[in-house]
Amino acid sequence: MLENTPPPMIQRLLADPRPIVLFGAGDVGVLAHHVLTRQGVPVTCFADGRASKQGTVLRGLPIHSITDLPQLADEALVFLCGNYLKTMTDRVRSAGFTRIQDCVELLDGFDFSGSEADTGMSPVLAERKAALHKHETLKDREHAEDTLILKYLDVVVTEACSMKCQDCSNLMQYYAKPRHSDLDLLASAVDRIMDSVDGIYEFRVLGGEPFVNPRVHRVIEQLVAYEVVEKVVVYTNGTIVPRGANLDCLRNEKVVVEITNYGQHSKKFDALQETLATEGITHLSKIPVWTDSGRIRYVERSAEVLDDMFHNCCVNDIVTLLNGKLYRCPFSANAHNLKAVPDAPQDVIDLTGDLSGAALREHIRALYSRDTHLTACGSCAGRDYRTPQIEAAIQTRRPLPLTVVG
Ligand code: SF4
Ligand code: SF4
């Protein structure tokens, strides 16, 4: 996008002196502010529903509660800078605002190169945040039309990892005899899932460590070939530099390699980054922040407490395919796979048989739209803002002891 030819929406905003409020002081808010100010559109303030943000300053602007802005309600345009659009719209409306819109037109297609110093997000990450916002917005719009679009699908290619983190939230520390996934079963299951849903925003290829599986390329090649899939993100711990077909398959515009930087443990971090850069493969790295979510321990809790945990969980919509079975979250997948929680047919979709088509669609819809806790939540410490943070990647020599249920 050329900066000297603003798109129509920006032209409209430049010609309109009325105030602009960005509702949502998170990443989408930062990106929206970046896009507007880079094109000369002044923003009046941020607003946010979280008390912890209100009264603070973001990018030189105050963050208010939306209910504290009645003087702006008549004329301000409010951009919804977040992904919970229905809730956000309700809040802004009830504060008296009528000019409300999402950020799709603002962010979609914007060239974020050179934005990192201002936003703190790499261009790749910024584009992913923008794409996710678009996806969530479209999902909201399409809800009434009965479409079925999954935000994420974790595709587990191996139970093995080149590290043994004692608090791995994917529970690798409990696998005494890890195996690679059966790739024929995996291919057939993914094909049937793709036939049964209307789209998947992001496939996430992971393990364990995906590159310990010498044939992970087969999976990546299959996933990028689906037209409706926008991104295939490969999660790696920076211990292995892929070669041959496992490297070749990454040279695709849909692929993003996300390297978690575990410092001294990520022994090949520099070499991996260098190889990916040389090959022109899109990649980004992250320093991990961990919560204490990697232990299987049953705790007696009421259904209300478990439902609350489930609702607040940040991975409760990461549908996970593991060994031919589909689960609502990665913890549920691995806990069931390890047989560490009681059987719960209502929490699992079994694709080891020939379930497909409309019947599979209804199973996926039921699992994805369910809003009560999973059986696995009973043995999970939760993953939300209340879960204590812990040091990442402490290594264990031996697998942790496991109680097999039933
Ligand atoms: S958290 Fe550690 S053990 Fe778990 S997948 Fe990542 S690197 Fe492997
Ligand atoms: S709280 Fe429930 S939904 Fe969240 S990770 Fe744990 S088992 Fe999964």
Side-chain angles (χ1 to χ4, degrees), residues 315-333:
V315 294
N316 71 9
D317 55 0
I318 302 188
V319 178
T320 301
L321 178 66
L322 172 57
N323 290 337
K325 294 183 178 171
L326 203 56
Y327 305 84
R328 177 67 184 259
C329 80
F331 185 97
S332 175

Side-chain angles (χ1 to χ4, degrees), residues 211-274:
F211 292 126
V212 301
N213 186 332
R215 294 188 301 153
V216 63
H217 62 91
R218 263 186 63 189
V219 179
I220 296 170
E221 285 154 8
Q222 177 181 356
L223 301 183
V224 296
Y226 294 111
E227 255 178 43
V228 293
V229 171
E230 292 186 38
K231 285 274 173 257
V232 176
V233 183
V234 184
Y235 286 83
T236 177
N237 61 19
T239 57
I240 294 172
V241 181
R243 304 276 178 222
N246 276 0
L247 181 62
D248 296 341
C249 68
L250 306 176
R251 270 190 234 99
N252 183 294
E253 58 179 7
K254 291 185 182 177
V255 170
V256 177
V257 179
E258 184 163 325
I259 316 166
T260 309
N261 184 354
Y262 291 115
Q264 51 161 344
H265 301 299
S266 297
K267 295 193 178 79
K268 299 279 173 62
F269 182 81
D270 291 339
L272 175 58
Q273 274 209 317
E274 201 182 314

Side-chain angles (χ1 to χ4, degrees), residues 161-165 167-173 207-209 237 262 290 393 395:
C161 191
S162 47
M163 290 169 58
K164 222 28 164 206
C165 303
D167 302 298
C168 172
S169 57
N170 279 7
L171 307 177
M172 295 302 126
Q173 65 281 33
E209 164 53 48
N237 61 19
Y262 291 115
W290 277 17
Q395 300 298 289

Side-chain angles (χ1 to χ4, degrees), residues 65-75 95-97:
S65 160
I66 194 76
T67 53
D68 289 344
L69 300 171
Q71 73 283 7
L72 299 181
D74 280 345
E75 54 175 10
F97 291 82

Side-chain angles (χ1 to χ4, degrees), residues 309-310 313-316 329-332 374 376-377 380-383:
M309 233 171 90
F310 177 73
C313 179
C314 64
V315 294
N316 71 9
C329 80
F331 185 97
S332 175
L374 310 168
C377 297
C380 177
R383 279 180 85 170

Side-chain angles (χ1 to χ4, degrees), residues 92 101 194 249 280 313:
V92 174
Q101 74 173 75
M194 291 308 294
C249 68
C313 179

